[in-house]
Amino acid sequence: MGDFTQKSVVKSAVRNLAAPIADYTAFNALIQDILDNNPWGCTAYESAGVTKPGVEKSKEAYAATVVYENAEAKTVGSIPVRGPTMAAVNTAVTQITGTAAITSGMGTGVTASRDSSEDSFSCTLKAHHSNGELYSVTFKRDSVTVSSYEDDAVRTGLETWADTVAILA
């Protein structure tokens, strides 16, 4: 049986944020700015005969939690909500918090609410560097990860850019 032979050196790097991204609005604005303005200088490429943009979304996930509290502000229950978009999560949260049967099922005097500071969101962008490399950048509320790159110029370029973005400092 033959041995595995290394063909490339694929790297990954994480930037932990000093403070989490405040909310979905700021997160969405950051992602949309990258897609609209291509600050990394990515180039379009062809895959399976289809022209792809230099940067595009490849995966995203959103979550919130509905919390049920009694009169003493003690949490007596919670319902996690996950969805493909924040709009879907918001709709589900509105439906859940507005359903009296669920709230009353949690107990007498219980109220339902959402703590948006506990929302989570992530988005992975697929990017095509001018040197021909395809790599991924995953944004989460508290970190940015660049992965599947070989050339350190990819990471260096992203670090330089991130240093200029206030919410990523």
Side-chain angles (χ1 to χ4, degrees), residues 10-35:
V10 179
K11 302 174 186 175
S12 179
V14 177
R15 180 182 190 127
N16 291 312
L17 305 181
I21 296 173
D23 55 27
Y24 171 72
T25 301
F27 179 82
N28 188 54
L30 172 67
I31 300 301
Q32 198 59 54
D33 182 64
I34 294 166
L35 294 172

Side-chain angles (χ1 to χ4, degrees), residues 29 49 69 88 112 119 121:
E69 295 180 335
D119 288 358
F121 26 81

Side-chain angles (χ1 to χ4, degrees), residues 23-111:
D23 55 27
Y24 171 72
T25 301
F27 179 82
N28 188 54
L30 172 67
I31 300 301
Q32 198 59 54
D33 182 64
I34 294 166
L35 294 172
D36 291 346
N37 298 310
N38 188 10
W40 309 328
C42 295
T43 58
Y45 65 102
E46 197 168 303
S47 178
V50 176
T51 301
K52 302 288 222 164
V55 181
E56 65 182 337
K57 284 184 185 180
S58 65
K59 180 171 53 173
E60 52 191 319
Y62 303 93
T65 302
V66 175
V67 178
Y68 295 88
E69 295 180 335
N70 63 17
E72 290 82 38
K74 179 182 175 192
T75 300
V76 296
S78 64
I79 298 177
V81 180
R82 298 183 190 283
T85 65
M86 191 51 90
V89 169
N90 290 339
T91 298
V93 166
T94 299
Q95 292 297 314
I96 292 167
T97 57
T99 303
I102 296 173
T103 303
S104 65
M106 294 290 181
T108 305
V110 171
T111 59

